[in-house]
Amino acid sequence: MISQHASSRGPSSFNNPRQAAPLNPCELEIDLFCKGLRIDKATRQKVRQAQRTRAGLGSGLELIIPGSFKDIWANAPTEEEFVQHSPYLLRQKRGGFVVLDQASDFRYPVRIEAVPDWYERPTSRGVPMGQVGNLQGTYLGIYIGPVCRYWVEETMLNCKFCTTGLNVGTNEITKKSVNDVVETCRTAREESGITFVHFNSGFQEGRDFQMARPFVEAVKRSTGLLVGLQLVPQRDLSLYDDMIDLGVDHFSFCFEFMNQDAFRELCPGKEATLGQETFFQAMEYTSAKLGKGRVSGEIIAGVEPLEDTLRAIDRITDCGAFPTVCIFRPLKGCAMEDYPPPRYVQMRQVFQYMIESCIRKRIPIGIAPNIEVSLVVQPADALYLAPPTLSSAAYRLYNRVLKTAMRPVFRRRMQPRKENDNESRQPAN
Ligand code: SF4
């Protein structure tokens, strides 16, 4: 059922077969997610400022891997035990940084951006903005609401790969006011040039949409940012109509595993309160409403059998959504901490399948301006893996044309609403 593959470990044998050629930027991103990145002591001093405090999938080091077709943002694991066996070592070199593969001797130049100054700056209520939201690539991620209710001590139905219950209230403040969020969003837009804010929350016992509504409403009105929502799915699908009317630009649905045993065993709360089918229904409904490429289905690769992950990709792309595939990271402190990380060869297969599926079904990717996600291999990153066929060339052209055509639409959509400007400068709650 759930694969626990053996992983070769040992300081003298790096977990990388000898390669004939360097990896392309997407392959490097995948391999870094699978093996992690060591940082030598001297370099660690230099990158301390870039290491963000957020736990969970964003606990690693944010890197930018330059590429001919596009640059890639990746949050490389640095903290977990498996990282000690990685062949990848970060070194400072002539004012820049390189990732050295000590198994093959290939060197990959990377960029590391400093943590934004505004992280330390307080909101008008005195909360450091970095505790309200964090950049994860070029977008702002904000957890709203109290700790996910699956983490309630009496029941403990939390997902086994998750550390949210350990982080909210520690690395992030528990109670974020609407005004904290609006001020942070506005600052991130002005100073870091973000275009997109992604709200997520765990299970909130049916109050999820009620809780998210004021945040969405105020951020859309006051900042004009594109807004994504990642909440547990609702059985009453008409609730999505209200959110679409408010201006939500994107929904994502984390069903995590296609394999039903894996879903039941590793997501006990989702199994007990929602069931996998509820995720599919909400994903299909919103995708039909918003159109192709506006909704995503989020899954974890590297735990369930490969064929189930490929089936999940089919299920997502069949309804016009795009896959958001996280490479499993055995986070410190989570119940699956001792699981081995996935293997590169399998993960490369997953992402090649993902991009081929997007190409076959003409799912638009990378259309919205400046949204780079460091926690996952985005479909646009996976274009590096697309076979050089006529159909993949036509798909690239299709996305380029669409992106250009949509520019004025996004410009209009991202205007803060002027008539409410004065009001938007007032505390929203
Ligand atoms: S729903 Fe699962 S993954 Fe999401 S916060 Fe709750 S326990 Fe974590």
Side-chain angles (χ1 to χ4, degrees):
M1 193 263 307
I2 300 160
S3 64
Q4 270 233 52
H5 51 254
S7 124
S8 70
R9 296 286 170 89
S12 57
S13 69
F14 288 120
N15 198 8
N16 242 18
R18 194 138 191 104
Q19 293 159 223
L23 300 176
N24 71 38
C26 180
E27 290 170 332
L28 178 62
E29 178 185 33
I30 295 170
D31 212 18
L32 284 169
F33 279 135
C34 291
K35 301 194 176 85
L37 177 66
R38 291 175 295 120
I39 307 174
D40 69 28
K41 217 169 164 192
T43 309
R44 202 170 269 278
Q45 303 288 335
K46 305 282 178 198
V47 299
R48 210 175 39 205
Q49 281 308 305
Q51 197 120 33
R52 294 172 180 161
T53 54
R54 193 180 176 87
L57 276 188
S59 59
L61 181 68
E62 295 269 317
L63 302 175
I64 302 165
I65 307 167
S68 53
F69 166 60
K70 82 181 273 290
D71 293 353
I72 286 184
W73 271 249
N75 186 285
T78 54
E79 301 303 306
E80 292 74 17
E81 200 275 331
F82 70 91
V83 173
Q84 301 316 313
H85 310 280
S86 171
Y88 293 112
L89 180 69
L90 183 73
R91 285 241 167 99
Q92 197 181 27
K93 201 149 192 263
R94 284 189 226 107
F97 293 92
V98 287
V99 169
L100 167 66
D101 178 351
Q102 292 189 304
S104 64
D105 244 9
F106 288 123
R107 281 150 207 265
Y108 302 94
V110 293
R111 299 198 304 275
I112 295 178
E113 286 184 2
V115 168
D117 292 342
W118 55 262
Y119 270 26
E120 298 294 320
R121 204 174 306 151
T123 64
S124 47
R125 189 166 80 101
V127 179
M129 292 187 187
Q131 285 190 27
V132 176
N134 265 209
L135 296 184
Q136 298 176 327
T138 60
Y139 78 94
L140 185 66
I142 300 185
Y143 184 96
I144 48 172
V147 178
C148 168
R149 305 308 291 161
Y150 294 146
W151 281 86
V152 171
E153 243 172 60
E154 300 82 65
T155 48
M156 283 308 272
L157 290 172
N158 60 291
C159 304
K160 302 300 181 208
F161 47 82
C162 170
T163 55
T164 295
L166 312 175
N167 304 330
V168 178
T170 312
N171 295 303
E172 296 182 31
I173 57 157
T174 318
K175 192 153 172 31
K176 291 163 190 170
S177 75
V178 172
N179 203 47
D180 287 335
V181 167
V182 167
E183 287 179 1
T184 305
C185 287
R186 190 184 284 132
T187 306
R189 181 170 185 177
E190 287 166 2
E191 298 187 25
S192 296
I194 65 156
T195 55
F196 178 63
V197 57
H198 190 238
F199 291 124
N200 75 318
S201 177
F203 175 57
Q204 302 298 342
E205 298 175 314
R207 287 174 286 116
D208 314 69
F209 271 47
Q210 201 186 330
M211 187 196 71
R213 202 176 193 287
F215 291 101
V216 173
E217 204 277 329
V219 167
K220 286 304 288 186
R221 185 188 64 221
S222 306
T223 71
L225 285 173
L226 302 172
V227 169
L229 212 50
Q230 186 181 83
L231 306 177
V232 299
Q234 303 297 302
R235 290 204 176 88
D236 176 2
L237 296 173
S238 69
L239 289 169
Y240 291 102
D241 300 342
D242 176 47
M243 283 295 170
I244 292 169
D245 290 345
L246 268 190
V248 168
D249 301 274
H250 165 77
F251 294 98
S252 49
F253 299 98
C254 306
F255 62 93
E256 322 292 5
F257 306 107
M258 195 70 190
N259 180 295
Q260 292 188 356
D261 290 335
F263 184 79
R264 195 174 307 122
E265 193 179 317
L266 303 176
C267 308
K270 291 181 178 183
E271 165 72 11
T273 57
L274 303 161
Q276 216 180 21
E277 202 50 42
T278 313
F279 286 84
F280 298 145
Q281 282 164 2
M283 181 172 73
E284 283 157 10
Y285 181 81
T286 51
S287 185
K289 280 253 159 189
L290 286 176
K292 269 186 167 183
R294 298 274 306 274
V295 166
S296 68
E298 195 158 317
I299 52 172
I300 297 175
V303 177
E304 65 182 349
L306 180 69
E307 57 274 17
D308 289 317
T309 304
L310 305 188
R311 277 197 306 123
I313 290 172
D314 286 338
R315 180 89 200 227
I316 294 165
T317 51
D318 278 348
C319 73
F322 65 89
T324 308
V325 184
C326 306
I327 292 181
F328 170 64
R329 189 181 301 193
L331 294 169
K332 268 191 172 170
C334 81
M336 294 174 75
E337 181 177 15
D338 295 328
Y339 266 58
R343 288 202 171 132
Y344 167 76
V345 174
Q346 278 202 338
M347 292 303 100
R348 196 193 183 289
Q349 249 179 293
V350 166
F351 290 103
Q352 173 140 6
Y353 190 86
M354 174 180 83
I355 192 60
E356 286 176 359
S357 187
C358 289
I359 292 173
R360 257 195 323 278
K361 294 166 195 172
R362 281 280 185 274
I363 311 289
I365 55 171
I367 306 302
N370 189 35
I371 306 180
E372 296 292 345
V373 181
S374 62
L375 307 184
V376 299
V377 177
Q378 302 182 106
D381 300 347
L383 278 169
Y384 279 107
L385 311 179
T389 58
L390 256 183
S391 134
S392 73
Y395 179 68
R396 282 169 202 252
L397 182 65
Y398 161 74
N399 281 307
R400 268 206 301 275
V401 169
L402 203 56
K403 191 176 172 104
T404 308
M406 288 298 289
R407 244 177 233 145
V409 177
F410 280 114
R411 247 198 313 271
R412 265 199 313 278
R413 203 169 165 84
M414 292 178 59
Q415 291 295 325
R417 295 182 200 156
K418 285 204 170 65
E419 70 273 22
N420 292 321
D421 207 38
N422 288 337
E423 184 192 335
S424 73
R425 300 268 162 190
Q426 303 301 314
N429 76 354

